[in-house]
Amino acid sequence: MKAAVITFPGSNCDRDLAVAFEAAGAEVTRVWHKDATLPEGTDVVGVPGGFSFGDYLRCGAIAARSPIAKAVIAHAERGGYVLGVCNGFQVLCETGLLPGVLMRNAGLKFVCKPVALRVESTDSAFTSAYQPGAEPIIPIAHHDGNYQADEDTLATLEGEGRVAFRYVSNPNGSRNDIAGILSANRRVLGMMPHPERAVSAQHGGTDGRALFDGLMGALALT
């Protein structure tokens, strides 16, 4: 299984994401934002957290127009897997691969702490290794994690079971307590919490490991 992890100026979780993929058994290639193509045979693209381009304009807006973004969009459109974490979630929304937008936290402060999530859907490669209703503890670290969408979009996400994770106790004001959502084909996941920071007991917890193990297990069957 081959994973490509993108690095933008200001990314700071790209190495963590690469290590998490490698721990799950993936062969990882690091890809610079000015590259125009993904490595041949890429199965999953990781768009990491951080502050791409200093979070100027809207968070993720400049990164979504980097040369590599076109390749990521094409990868997703042909059925490839994409995982966007934190700033990566913002980037995926800015590309249009996921609906909605991430706005300033309701409390207007940066939040950084472990939080409990509730697994709302196990009908995806990303969530298949979790039990329905499980409450993994995953760290968050964001200033603009307040997920917002119009009523029709929220109704679609809820009706199609595309809310992957919710916050048990909402830390940022996100509509419907949404912490992560899936694309219509369930092969693109965007989430604000950092599962790559919860794959080693030495770092305080392993509740994020199931996401990477489930994804790699699904890829092994394709």
Side-chain angles (χ1 to χ4, degrees):
M1 289 75 74
K2 295 184 177 181
V5 174
I6 311 300
T7 299
F8 302 99
S11 295
N12 63 15
C13 299
D14 43 339
R15 182 183 181 277
D16 294 337
L17 191 53
V19 169
F21 276 126
E22 288 171 346
E27 176 187 331
V28 179
T29 302
R30 306 285 291 278
V31 179
W32 184 233
H33 74 110
K34 287 189 176 181
D35 294 343
T37 60
L38 293 168
E40 185 175 353
T42 294
D43 296 301
V44 56
V45 177
V47 188
F51 306 90
S52 59
F53 294 93
D55 279 350
Y56 290 105
L57 302 180
R58 297 180 307 275
C59 297
I62 300 176
R65 284 143 187 86
S66 289
I68 197 60
K70 291 182 180 179
V72 175
I73 293 169
H75 172 79
E77 290 179 342
R78 60 177 174 262
Y81 289 95
V82 182
L83 170 62
V85 176
C86 199
N87 186 231
F89 186 9
Q90 297 162 345
V91 172
L92 294 182
C93 288
E94 290 290 339
T95 64
L97 288 175
L98 291 173
V101 65
L102 284 306
M103 299 181 67
R104 189 68 49 87
N105 294 340
L108 302 182
K109 293 182 179 180
F110 185 87
V111 291
C112 182
K113 61 183 179 179
V115 299
L117 307 181
R118 184 168 60 250
V119 179
E120 290 293 320
S121 172
T122 57
D123 185 21
S124 78
F126 302 99
T127 56
S128 60
Y130 289 104
Q131 293 297 315
E135 295 188 1
I137 305 298
I138 307 291
I140 59 171
H142 57 250
H143 193 261
D144 296 72
N146 182 356
Y147 181 78
Q148 297 292 317
D150 60 44
E151 296 298 336
D152 288 344
T153 297
L154 288 170
T156 297
L157 292 172
E158 298 287 2
E160 295 180 356
R162 289 167 51 192
V163 177
F165 301 102
R166 293 189 209 274
Y167 298 109
V168 173
S169 180
N170 193 327
N172 54 31
S174 291
R175 293 290 301 275
N176 295 17
D177 301 324
I178 288 173
I181 61 172
L182 295 157
S183 61
N185 69 358
R186 290 172 143 64
R187 292 192 170 208
V188 179
L189 170 66
M191 60 186 297
M192 286 309 297
H194 287 268
E196 79 283 4
R197 296 186 183 181
V199 297
S200 170
Q202 294 173 315
H203 293 163
T206 60
D207 286 358
R209 186 182 297 168
L211 186 148
F212 297 96
D213 289 345
L215 178 58
M216 292 301 106
L219 287 172
L221 296 175
T222 58

